[in-house]
């Protein structure tokens, strides 16, 4: 029987680069092997706790957990991570205990034995959305990530507005949203109001053609998308009235975006 990695090699080795895209978030890690057309061939998902030691992400543990994917003929690795990344260098991440005082990218490259590109996880999602999602139809859109943290990232044409220090749109410190359990006859009222306030700010600050919602909270089956869209387009008196709000349809956008960045 031919192994999956050998089958992949025979199918794709002559067509271009094979990339490993990794997305390390606050609660889970996703990794995908991509062929030259960025179609995912194999993927792995695991809790962030599985690669955490003494409260910090351990890169040797990451390698151990991804051993099955590393049997593929990987040529380059793209890693998206929750944190502040400036010019490809990780400067700060709560997953590493705060300020990063070592060359994270170089260290990971040494551990994996492969060239590595590092990008903020939400910026990676925006890259994937631009190349394979709604960004194909809308040149001016704002990505709103609702996950362990909250970040807003605006894309205008070929420009990603990340800010001078890579923290533009990191609004978790000033806006907190809680997805509460279903109270009787009052599903998510507090949460919906919080999202509406956030979308109002997004609309006023960026005036985008489209607001794209993504992240772990959005993936929750309880996420009240229809109610939010109804408020945005029909009954709301806020400035977001008429604004288009859609859920991202890009699968594993953090992994895909990191892979795209690694191939730039």
């Amino acid at each position: 029987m031919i192994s999956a990695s050998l089958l992949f090699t025979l199918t794709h080795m002559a067509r271009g680069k094979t990339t490993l895209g990794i997305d390390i978030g606050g609660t889970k890690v996703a990794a995908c092997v991509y062929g030259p057309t960025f179609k995912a061939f194999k993927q792995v998902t695991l809790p962030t706790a599985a690669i955490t030691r003494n409260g910090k992400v351990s890169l040797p543990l990451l390698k151990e957990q991804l051993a099955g994917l590393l049997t593929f003929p990987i040529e380059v690795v793209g890693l998206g991570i929750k944190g502040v990344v400036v010019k490809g260098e990780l400067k700060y991440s709560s997953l590493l205990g705060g300020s990063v005082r070592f060359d994270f990218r170089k260290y990971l490259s040494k551990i994996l034995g492969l060239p590595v590109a590092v990008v903020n996880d939400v910026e990676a999602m925006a890259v994937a959305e631009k190349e394979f999602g709604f960004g194909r139809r809308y040149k001016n859109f704002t990505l709103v990530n609702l996950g362990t943290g909250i970040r807003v990232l605006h894309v205008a044409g070929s420009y990603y507005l990340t800010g001078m220090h890579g923290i533009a749109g990191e609004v978790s410190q000033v806006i907190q949203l809680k997805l509460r359990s279903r109270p009787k006859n009052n599903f998510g009222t507090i949460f919906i109001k919080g999202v509406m306030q956030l979308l109002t700010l997004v609309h006023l600050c960026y005036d985008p053609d489209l607001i794209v919602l993504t992240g772990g909270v959005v993936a929750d089956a309880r996420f009240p998308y229809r109610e939010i869209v109804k408020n945005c387009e029909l009954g709301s008196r806020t400035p977001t009235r008429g604004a288009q709000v859609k859920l991202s349809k890009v699968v594993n956008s953090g992994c895909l975006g990191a892979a795209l960045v690694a191939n730039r």
Side-chain angles (χ1 to χ4, degrees):
M1 180 180 290
I2 299 178
S3 68
S5 58
L6 177 57
L7 177 61
F8 183 90
T9 302
L10 295 174
T11 305
H12 296 281
M13 65 186 302
R15 299 184 184 178
K17 280 188 178 179
T18 302
T19 308
L20 175 61
I22 307 171
D23 178 18
I24 303 179
T27 57
K28 75 172 185 176
V29 177
C32 301
V33 175
Y34 295 98
T37 62
F38 294 100
K39 179 179 179 180
F41 185 77
K42 189 172 179 61
Q43 63 186 55
V44 169
T45 303
L46 58 144
T48 304
I51 63 166
T52 300
R53 178 179 291 159
N54 298 323
K56 299 180 182 180
V57 164
S58 165
L59 297 184
L61 278 181
L62 175 66
K63 181 180 179 180
E64 287 180 19
Q65 292 291 338
L66 301 183
L69 297 185
L70 292 172
T71 61
F72 288 84
I74 307 296
E75 296 173 67
V76 64
V77 178
L79 182 137
I81 186 169
K82 180 177 180 284
V84 178
V85 181
V86 180
K87 296 181 179 179
E89 299 297 334
L90 182 64
K91 301 297 185 181
Y92 179 96
S93 177
S94 59
L95 299 177
L96 290 163
S99 296
V100 180
R101 304 187 185 280
F102 64 96
D103 193 327
F104 178 87
R105 183 186 59 78
K106 186 176 181 179
Y107 181 42
L108 180 58
S109 180
K110 181 179 179 180
I111 287 176
L112 298 179
L114 293 164
V116 173
V118 179
V119 62
N120 168 269
D121 57 348
V122 180
E123 291 175 26
M125 294 174 192
V127 171
E129 195 66 45
K130 183 181 186 310
E131 297 298 327
F132 288 94
F134 289 114
R136 287 182 165 184
R137 288 166 44 200
Y138 299 89
K139 301 303 180 185
N140 178 41
F141 70 92
T142 304
L143 188 80
V144 178
N145 177 68
L146 304 177
T148 306
I150 304 169
R151 188 176 185 188
V152 176
L153 186 60
H154 186 67
V155 179
S158 60
Y159 295 96
Y160 296 81
L161 305 187
T162 59
M164 183 65 73
H165 302 99
I167 61 173
E170 289 281 6
V171 298
S172 298
Q173 299 301 318
V174 293
I175 298 177
Q176 294 185 354
L177 303 174
K178 293 184 179 179
L179 186 58
R180 298 191 170 188
S181 58
R182 181 192 292 261
K184 211 169 187 180
N185 301 321
N186 189 28
F187 178 78
T189 300
I190 295 175
F191 178 75
I192 291 173
K193 287 182 177 179
V195 173
M196 287 306 303
Q197 290 174 352
L198 175 60
L199 296 184
T200 297
L201 288 173
V202 169
H203 186 76
L204 288 172
C205 291
Y206 300 111
D207 190 22
D209 294 328
L210 178 69
I211 297 173
V212 182
L213 301 180
T214 189
V217 173
V218 175
D220 191 305
R222 299 173 295 165
F223 184 73
Y225 171 66
R226 293 182 183 277
E227 187 67 22
I228 290 170
V229 171
K230 178 181 177 182
N231 283 330
C232 284
E233 297 182 344
L234 299 176
S236 176
R237 293 184 180 180
T238 70
T240 54
R241 184 172 183 177
Q244 291 194 72
V245 181
K246 296 183 181 293
L247 297 182
S248 175
K249 297 180 181 179
V250 181
V251 178
N252 288 323
S253 60
C255 294
L256 177 57
L260 288 164
V261 169
N263 279 274
R264 284 179 171 175

